[in-house]
Amino acid sequence: ITTITLDSNNIGMEGARHFAEALKINSSVTTIDLCSNKIGSEGARHLAEALKINSSVTTIKYTSATFRSFLTMRCIIPCC
């Protein structure tokens, strides 16, 4: 699996935390679609921490402005 689409899944902060833990040990995912999820700043922080470990993710699609402040280290693409 190289692409994960979680668009409009309401994963929330807790889901983002669990997803971030999985990303820390994954090396095949390159693209993640997180559009229309209420992850918030805490969820974005968990994902940013995971991306410090995971070097395979190259693209993240997002809706919230929250990600702009936390995920500047990768190719972040706003959802339309």
Side-chain angles (χ1 to χ4, degrees):
I1 296 173
T2 59
T3 301
I4 296 178
T5 302
L6 295 173
D7 182 22
S8 301
N9 274 285
N10 289 324
I11 66 170
M13 186 281 298
E14 191 66 20
R17 183 176 66 82
H18 291 295
F19 186 62
E21 288 301 314
L23 281 178
K24 289 179 181 178
I25 59 172
N26 182 285
S27 61
S28 63
V29 173
T30 59
T31 303
I32 303 168
D33 183 343
L34 294 171
C35 294
S36 300
N37 282 288
K38 295 179 181 175
I39 292 170
S41 60
E42 188 68 16
R45 186 183 64 75
H46 288 297
L47 290 166
E49 289 299 316
L51 290 176
K52 290 179 182 178
I53 297 167
N54 179 308
S55 61
S56 65
V57 175
T58 58
T59 305
I60 297 176
K61 294 181 181 180
Y62 72 97
T63 304
S64 172
T66 301
F67 284 94
R68 287 187 203 117
S69 59
F70 287 100
L71 304 177
T72 57
M73 67 195 87
R74 304 286 179 150
C75 181
I76 311 299
I77 301 172
C79 297
C80 296

